[in-house]
Amino acid sequence: MREIRFVSTNTEKFREAAAILRPHGIRLRWVRREIPEPQAWTLEEVVKAKLDAVQDLPGPVLVEDSGLFIPSLKGFPGVYSKHFFKLWGFPPLLELLRRRGRHAYFKTVAGLRLGRRRVYFSGVVQGTIARRPRGRGGFGYDPLFIPRGHSRSFAELSSEEKNGLSHRARALRKLGRHEKEALQVEVTRDEMSLDVA
Ligand code: IMP
């Protein structure tokens, strides 16, 4: 198993990320650290800044940032999802959406630092905002988000069901495949140098 440090203060995120990456032969080691988020327009910028802030940690390091984007609100709360949720919770969002389109998507950007190299992966899941919070599972905006093709919210799905289709799973599965291919290249290189020797 390959070990990667995952920096976050969010227990649920860590649990989800660890379960998603385990089948890819990656074991996440949780570094519970608050990283100040810069004011930025995109998740990509936030993730780059987060990677800058964890340069002191040894070995491969993974950070991620996620947001709920609502096109009828010009993408709001988007990169501000965390602050908005902390300050206001669901009510103003439901109020704003009373006469607007309810299409929404979740997006995750994951950034992995491997020595001096950095690689980024993104994942998106489309859906709609429920008329009222539904379900007790998950975290954050999960009770409001109904993924496309489903009738239940993320908070009404089991963690396995959510991890089967979530934004986080889509980004991290790309990372898992990337790491597997990188490992295969390393093994092939080793075999080649054995052949040459
Ligand atoms: P951040 O990625 O920690 O900045 O989180 C942004 C906001 O989106 C926080 O309020 C999280 O609770 C919320 N959030 C992030 N991922 C999810 C998710 O998978 N489901 C529901 N809410 C999420």
Side-chain angles (χ1 to χ4, degrees), residues 6-8 13 35-38 40-48 50 62-69 78-83 106-111 121-123 167-168 171-172:
F6 180 77
V7 189
S8 170
K13 260 193 192 183
I35 314 175
E37 284 186 22
W41 286 106
T42 64
L43 296 177
E44 284 80 359
E45 287 171 76
V46 175
V47 170
K48 279 182 188 157
K50 282 189 176 182
L62 173 65
V63 299
E64 68 105 277
D65 204 59
S66 304
L68 177 69
F69 296 78
V79 276
Y80 305 109
S81 296
K82 189 175 175 173
H83 305 297
F106 264 123
K107 180 175 174 181
T108 289
V109 174
F121 306 91
S122 63
H167 46 309
R168 182 161 297 105
L172 295 181

Short mmCIF file of all heavy atoms in Angstrom, two decimals, residues 6-8 13 35-38 40-48 50 62-69 78-83 106-111 121-123 167-168 171-172:
data_model
loop_
_atom_site.label_atom_id
_atom_site.label_comp_id
_atom_site.label_asym_id
_atom_site.label_seq_id
_atom_site.Cartn_x
_atom_site.Cartn_y
_atom_site.Cartn_z
N PHE A 6 -3.02 13.26 3.83
CA PHE A 6 -4.20 14.00 3.40
C PHE A 6 -4.44 15.11 4.43
O PHE A 6 -4.70 14.82 5.59
CB PHE A 6 -5.40 13.06 3.32
CG PHE A 6 -6.68 13.73 2.89
CD1 PHE A 6 -6.90 14.06 1.57
CD2 PHE A 6 -7.68 14.01 3.82
CE1 PHE A 6 -8.09 14.67 1.17
CE2 PHE A 6 -8.87 14.61 3.43
CZ PHE A 6 -9.07 14.94 2.10
N VAL A 7 -4.34 16.36 3.99
CA VAL A 7 -4.44 17.47 4.94
C VAL A 7 -5.82 18.10 4.89
O VAL A 7 -6.25 18.61 3.84
CB VAL A 7 -3.37 18.56 4.64
CG1 VAL A 7 -3.34 19.59 5.76
CG2 VAL A 7 -2.00 17.93 4.46
N SER A 8 -6.51 18.06 6.03
CA SER A 8 -7.87 18.62 6.11
C SER A 8 -8.29 18.63 7.57
O SER A 8 -7.73 17.89 8.38
CB SER A 8 -8.82 17.74 5.29
OG SER A 8 -10.16 18.10 5.52
N LYS A 13 -14.75 14.25 5.04
CA LYS A 13 -13.98 14.27 3.79
C LYS A 13 -12.89 13.21 3.84
O LYS A 13 -12.65 12.49 2.87
CB LYS A 13 -13.28 15.63 3.65
CG LYS A 13 -13.94 16.60 2.76
CD LYS A 13 -12.95 17.74 2.50
CE LYS A 13 -13.66 18.89 1.86
NZ LYS A 13 -12.76 19.98 1.53
N ILE A 35 -5.88 24.84 6.97
CA ILE A 35 -5.08 25.62 6.03
C ILE A 35 -5.90 26.85 5.67
O ILE A 35 -7.04 26.72 5.21
CB ILE A 35 -4.78 24.83 4.73
CG1 ILE A 35 -4.31 23.41 5.06
CG2 ILE A 35 -3.77 25.56 3.87
CD1 ILE A 35 -4.11 22.54 3.83
N PRO A 36 -5.35 28.05 5.86
CA PRO A 36 -6.11 29.25 5.52
C PRO A 36 -6.42 29.26 4.03
O PRO A 36 -5.53 29.00 3.21
CB PRO A 36 -5.18 30.41 5.89
CG PRO A 36 -3.92 29.81 6.40
CD PRO A 36 -4.00 28.33 6.33
N GLU A 37 -7.70 29.51 3.70
CA GLU A 37 -8.08 29.54 2.28
C GLU A 37 -7.99 30.96 1.75
O GLU A 37 -8.54 31.87 2.36
CB GLU A 37 -9.51 29.02 2.09
CG GLU A 37 -9.60 27.52 2.21
CD GLU A 37 -11.00 26.99 1.88
OE1 GLU A 37 -11.75 27.68 1.18
OE2 GLU A 37 -11.30 25.88 2.35
N PRO A 38 -7.31 31.18 0.62
CA PRO A 38 -7.22 32.54 0.08
C PRO A 38 -8.54 32.92 -0.56
O PRO A 38 -9.36 32.05 -0.90
CB PRO A 38 -6.15 32.40 -0.99
CG PRO A 38 -6.30 30.99 -1.48
CD PRO A 38 -6.72 30.18 -0.31
N ALA A 40 -10.36 33.59 -3.64
CA ALA A 40 -10.01 33.23 -5.02
C ALA A 40 -11.29 33.00 -5.81
O ALA A 40 -12.36 32.83 -5.23
CB ALA A 40 -9.17 31.97 -5.00
N TRP A 41 -11.14 33.00 -7.14
CA TRP A 41 -12.32 32.80 -7.97
C TRP A 41 -12.55 31.34 -8.33
O TRP A 41 -13.62 30.97 -8.76
CB TRP A 41 -12.19 33.60 -9.28
CG TRP A 41 -12.38 35.07 -9.07
CD1 TRP A 41 -11.41 36.01 -9.07
CD2 TRP A 41 -13.62 35.74 -8.82
NE1 TRP A 41 -11.96 37.25 -8.83
CE2 TRP A 41 -13.31 37.11 -8.68
CE3 TRP A 41 -14.95 35.33 -8.69
CZ2 TRP A 41 -14.28 38.08 -8.43
CZ3 TRP A 41 -15.92 36.29 -8.42
CH2 TRP A 41 -15.58 37.63 -8.30
N THR A 42 -11.47 30.53 -8.22
CA THR A 42 -11.63 29.12 -8.64
C THR A 42 -11.10 28.17 -7.57
O THR A 42 -10.22 28.54 -6.77
CB THR A 42 -10.83 28.85 -9.94
OG1 THR A 42 -9.44 29.03 -9.68
CG2 THR A 42 -11.26 29.76 -11.08
N LEU A 43 -11.62 26.95 -7.60
CA LEU A 43 -11.15 25.92 -6.68
C LEU A 43 -9.68 25.61 -6.97
O LEU A 43 -8.90 25.32 -6.06
CB LEU A 43 -11.97 24.63 -6.86
CG LEU A 43 -13.47 24.69 -6.54
CD1 LEU A 43 -14.12 23.34 -6.85
CD2 LEU A 43 -13.69 25.04 -5.07
N GLU A 44 -9.30 25.67 -8.26
CA GLU A 44 -7.92 25.38 -8.64
C GLU A 44 -6.95 26.31 -7.91
O GLU A 44 -5.93 25.86 -7.38
CB GLU A 44 -7.74 25.52 -10.16
CG GLU A 44 -8.32 24.39 -10.98
CD GLU A 44 -9.84 24.47 -11.19
OE1 GLU A 44 -10.48 25.42 -10.69
OE2 GLU A 44 -10.40 23.57 -11.85
N GLU A 45 -7.29 27.62 -7.87
CA GLU A 45 -6.41 28.59 -7.18
C GLU A 45 -6.32 28.26 -5.68
O GLU A 45 -5.25 28.35 -5.09
CB GLU A 45 -6.97 30.01 -7.31
CG GLU A 45 -6.83 30.62 -8.70
CD GLU A 45 -7.60 31.92 -8.76
OE1 GLU A 45 -7.12 32.93 -8.21
OE2 GLU A 45 -8.72 31.92 -9.34
N VAL A 46 -7.46 27.87 -5.10
CA VAL A 46 -7.47 27.55 -3.67
C VAL A 46 -6.57 26.34 -3.41
O VAL A 46 -5.77 26.33 -2.47
CB VAL A 46 -8.91 27.25 -3.18
CG1 VAL A 46 -8.90 26.80 -1.72
CG2 VAL A 46 -9.81 28.47 -3.35
N VAL A 47 -6.67 25.34 -4.28
CA VAL A 47 -5.89 24.11 -4.08
C VAL A 47 -4.39 24.39 -4.24
O VAL A 47 -3.57 23.86 -3.47
CB VAL A 47 -6.38 23.00 -5.03
CG1 VAL A 47 -5.46 21.80 -5.02
CG2 VAL A 47 -7.78 22.57 -4.62
N LYS A 48 -4.04 25.22 -5.21
CA LYS A 48 -2.61 25.59 -5.37
C LYS A 48 -2.10 26.25 -4.10
O LYS A 48 -1.01 25.94 -3.62
CB LYS A 48 -2.44 26.53 -6.56
CG LYS A 48 -2.42 25.78 -7.87
CD LYS A 48 -2.20 26.70 -9.05
CE LYS A 48 -2.39 25.87 -10.32
NZ LYS A 48 -2.75 26.67 -11.48
N LYS A 50 -3.29 25.93 -1.12
CA LYS A 50 -3.24 24.94 -0.03
C LYS A 50 -1.96 24.12 -0.12
O LYS A 50 -1.31 23.83 0.87
CB LYS A 50 -4.46 24.00 -0.10
CG LYS A 50 -5.75 24.60 0.44
CD LYS A 50 -6.82 23.51 0.52
CE LYS A 50 -8.11 23.99 1.13
NZ LYS A 50 -9.12 22.92 1.24
N LEU A 62 -1.66 15.19 -0.24
CA LEU A 62 -2.89 15.43 -0.99
C LEU A 62 -3.75 16.48 -0.26
O LEU A 62 -3.93 16.39 0.95
CB LEU A 62 -3.67 14.11 -1.10
CG LEU A 62 -5.07 14.14 -1.69
CD1 LEU A 62 -5.04 14.56 -3.16
CD2 LEU A 62 -5.72 12.76 -1.57
N VAL A 63 -4.25 17.45 -1.02
CA VAL A 63 -5.24 18.39 -0.48
C VAL A 63 -6.39 18.45 -1.48
O VAL A 63 -6.22 18.08 -2.65
CB VAL A 63 -4.67 19.81 -0.27
CG1 VAL A 63 -3.53 19.82 0.71
CG2 VAL A 63 -4.23 20.42 -1.60
N GLU A 64 -7.52 18.91 -1.04
CA GLU A 64 -8.63 19.10 -1.99
C GLU A 64 -9.50 20.26 -1.56
O GLU A 64 -9.48 20.67 -0.40
CB GLU A 64 -9.43 17.80 -2.17
CG GLU A 64 -10.21 17.35 -0.95
CD GLU A 64 -11.70 17.59 -1.07
OE1 GLU A 64 -12.12 18.75 -0.78
OE2 GLU A 64 -12.46 16.67 -1.38
N ASP A 65 -10.25 20.79 -2.52
CA ASP A 65 -11.24 21.81 -2.20
C ASP A 65 -12.47 21.52 -3.04
O ASP A 65 -12.36 21.12 -4.21
CB ASP A 65 -10.70 23.21 -2.50
CG ASP A 65 -11.43 24.26 -1.66
OD1 ASP A 65 -11.39 24.15 -0.43
OD2 ASP A 65 -12.06 25.15 -2.24
N SER A 66 -13.63 21.71 -2.43
CA SER A 66 -14.88 21.38 -3.13
C SER A 66 -15.87 22.52 -3.00
O SER A 66 -15.76 23.34 -2.08
CB SER A 66 -15.52 20.12 -2.52
OG SER A 66 -14.61 19.05 -2.55
N GLY A 67 -16.84 22.55 -3.87
CA GLY A 67 -17.87 23.57 -3.76
C GLY A 67 -19.14 23.14 -4.47
O GLY A 67 -19.13 22.26 -5.34
N LEU A 68 -20.24 23.79 -4.07
CA LEU A 68 -21.54 23.56 -4.69
C LEU A 68 -21.82 24.76 -5.59
O LEU A 68 -21.86 25.90 -5.10
CB LEU A 68 -22.62 23.45 -3.61
CG LEU A 68 -24.06 23.29 -4.12
CD1 LEU A 68 -24.25 21.92 -4.77
CD2 LEU A 68 -25.05 23.44 -2.97
N PHE A 69 -21.98 24.53 -6.89
CA PHE A 69 -22.16 25.61 -7.86
C PHE A 69 -23.59 25.58 -8.39
O PHE A 69 -24.06 24.53 -8.84
CB PHE A 69 -21.17 25.44 -9.02
CG PHE A 69 -19.73 25.59 -8.58
CD1 PHE A 69 -19.07 24.55 -7.94
CD2 PHE A 69 -19.04 26.77 -8.80
CE1 PHE A 69 -17.76 24.67 -7.52
CE2 PHE A 69 -17.72 26.91 -8.39
CZ PHE A 69 -17.08 25.86 -7.75
N GLY A 78 -20.38 28.23 -4.78
CA GLY A 78 -19.11 27.93 -5.42
C GLY A 78 -17.92 27.90 -4.48
O GLY A 78 -17.94 27.20 -3.47
N VAL A 79 -16.88 28.73 -4.81
CA VAL A 79 -15.68 28.74 -3.94
C VAL A 79 -15.98 29.25 -2.54
O VAL A 79 -15.18 29.08 -1.63
CB VAL A 79 -14.52 29.59 -4.53
CG1 VAL A 79 -13.69 28.82 -5.51
CG2 VAL A 79 -15.01 30.88 -5.11
N TYR A 80 -17.13 29.91 -2.38
CA TYR A 80 -17.48 30.44 -1.05
C TYR A 80 -18.37 29.49 -0.25
O TYR A 80 -18.92 29.86 0.78
CB TYR A 80 -18.17 31.81 -1.19
CG TYR A 80 -17.32 32.76 -1.98
CD1 TYR A 80 -17.68 33.15 -3.27
CD2 TYR A 80 -16.12 33.23 -1.46
CE1 TYR A 80 -16.87 33.99 -4.01
CE2 TYR A 80 -15.29 34.06 -2.20
CZ TYR A 80 -15.67 34.44 -3.47
OH TYR A 80 -14.86 35.25 -4.20
N SER A 81 -18.53 28.26 -0.75
CA SER A 81 -19.46 27.31 -0.12
C SER A 81 -19.23 27.15 1.37
O SER A 81 -20.17 27.11 2.16
CB SER A 81 -19.34 25.93 -0.79
OG SER A 81 -19.73 26.01 -2.14
N LYS A 82 -17.96 27.05 1.75
CA LYS A 82 -17.64 26.79 3.16
C LYS A 82 -18.10 27.95 4.05
O LYS A 82 -18.78 27.74 5.05
CB LYS A 82 -16.14 26.58 3.29
CG LYS A 82 -15.68 26.10 4.63
CD LYS A 82 -14.20 25.83 4.57
CE LYS A 82 -13.66 25.46 5.92
NZ LYS A 82 -12.26 25.05 5.79
N HIS A 83 -17.72 29.17 3.62
CA HIS A 83 -18.06 30.35 4.44
C HIS A 83 -19.57 30.55 4.48
O HIS A 83 -20.14 30.83 5.53
CB HIS A 83 -17.39 31.60 3.87
CG HIS A 83 -15.91 31.42 3.73
ND1 HIS A 83 -15.11 31.22 4.83
CD2 HIS A 83 -15.11 31.37 2.66
CE1 HIS A 83 -13.87 31.06 4.44
NE2 HIS A 83 -13.83 31.13 3.12
N PHE A 106 -21.75 19.76 -7.93
CA PHE A 106 -20.64 19.75 -6.98
C PHE A 106 -19.36 19.56 -7.77
O PHE A 106 -19.33 18.76 -8.72
CB PHE A 106 -20.75 18.54 -6.04
CG PHE A 106 -21.42 18.79 -4.73
CD1 PHE A 106 -22.53 18.06 -4.35
CD2 PHE A 106 -20.90 19.72 -3.84
CE1 PHE A 106 -23.14 18.26 -3.13
CE2 PHE A 106 -21.50 19.94 -2.61
CZ PHE A 106 -22.62 19.21 -2.25
N LYS A 107 -18.33 20.25 -7.36
CA LYS A 107 -17.03 20.04 -8.01
C LYS A 107 -15.94 19.90 -6.94
O LYS A 107 -15.98 20.60 -5.93
CB LYS A 107 -16.70 21.22 -8.93
CG LYS A 107 -15.36 21.06 -9.64
CD LYS A 107 -15.13 22.19 -10.65
CE LYS A 107 -13.71 22.06 -11.23
NZ LYS A 107 -13.39 23.10 -12.19
N THR A 108 -15.03 18.97 -7.18
CA THR A 108 -13.84 18.82 -6.33
C THR A 108 -12.61 19.01 -7.19
O THR A 108 -12.55 18.50 -8.30
CB THR A 108 -13.77 17.38 -5.74
OG1 THR A 108 -14.79 17.22 -4.77
CG2 THR A 108 -12.42 17.12 -5.06
N VAL A 109 -11.64 19.74 -6.66
CA VAL A 109 -10.31 19.74 -7.26
C VAL A 109 -9.36 19.17 -6.21
O VAL A 109 -9.35 19.62 -5.06
CB VAL A 109 -9.85 21.16 -7.68
CG1 VAL A 109 -8.41 21.14 -8.18
CG2 VAL A 109 -10.77 21.68 -8.79
N ALA A 110 -8.62 18.13 -6.61
CA ALA A 110 -7.64 17.50 -5.72
C ALA A 110 -6.25 17.82 -6.24
O ALA A 110 -6.02 17.79 -7.45
CB ALA A 110 -7.86 16.00 -5.68
N GLY A 111 -5.35 18.17 -5.34
CA GLY A 111 -3.96 18.48 -5.73
C GLY A 111 -3.03 17.54 -4.98
O GLY A 111 -3.12 17.40 -3.76
N PHE A 121 -6.44 16.98 -10.22
CA PHE A 121 -7.53 16.17 -10.78
C PHE A 121 -8.84 16.82 -10.36
O PHE A 121 -8.98 17.25 -9.22
CB PHE A 121 -7.47 14.74 -10.23
CG PHE A 121 -6.13 14.10 -10.43
CD1 PHE A 121 -5.15 14.21 -9.46
CD2 PHE A 121 -5.85 13.41 -11.60
CE1 PHE A 121 -3.89 13.65 -9.65
CE2 PHE A 121 -4.60 12.85 -11.81
CZ PHE A 121 -3.62 12.97 -10.84
N SER A 122 -9.81 16.84 -11.29
CA SER A 122 -11.10 17.41 -10.90
C SER A 122 -12.22 16.40 -11.15
O SER A 122 -12.08 15.50 -12.00
CB SER A 122 -11.37 18.70 -11.65
OG SER A 122 -11.46 18.43 -13.03
N GLY A 123 -13.29 16.56 -10.43
CA GLY A 123 -14.46 15.70 -10.59
C GLY A 123 -15.72 16.52 -10.38
O GLY A 123 -15.76 17.40 -9.50
N HIS A 167 -18.58 13.86 -6.76
CA HIS A 167 -17.52 14.72 -7.29
C HIS A 167 -16.16 14.32 -6.75
O HIS A 167 -15.18 14.20 -7.47
CB HIS A 167 -17.84 16.17 -6.92
CG HIS A 167 -18.26 16.34 -5.47
ND1 HIS A 167 -19.25 15.57 -4.91
CD2 HIS A 167 -17.81 17.13 -4.48
CE1 HIS A 167 -19.39 15.90 -3.64
NE2 HIS A 167 -18.51 16.84 -3.35
N ARG A 168 -16.11 14.06 -5.42
CA ARG A 168 -14.85 13.68 -4.77
C ARG A 168 -14.35 12.36 -5.34
O ARG A 168 -13.17 12.20 -5.65
CB ARG A 168 -15.11 13.57 -3.26
CG ARG A 168 -13.90 13.25 -2.42
CD ARG A 168 -14.12 13.61 -0.95
NE ARG A 168 -14.33 15.03 -0.79
CZ ARG A 168 -15.53 15.58 -0.54
NH1 ARG A 168 -16.60 14.82 -0.39
NH2 ARG A 168 -15.66 16.89 -0.44
N ALA A 171 -12.92 12.78 -8.86
CA ALA A 171 -11.57 13.37 -8.88
C ALA A 171 -10.54 12.36 -8.35
O ALA A 171 -9.49 12.17 -8.96
CB ALA A 171 -11.55 14.64 -8.04
N LEU A 172 -10.87 11.70 -7.25
CA LEU A 172 -9.86 10.84 -6.62
C LEU A 172 -9.64 9.53 -7.37
O LEU A 172 -8.55 8.96 -7.32
CB LEU A 172 -10.23 10.58 -5.15
CG LEU A 172 -10.20 11.84 -4.27
CD1 LEU A 172 -10.56 11.49 -2.83
CD2 LEU A 172 -8.83 12.51 -4.31
#
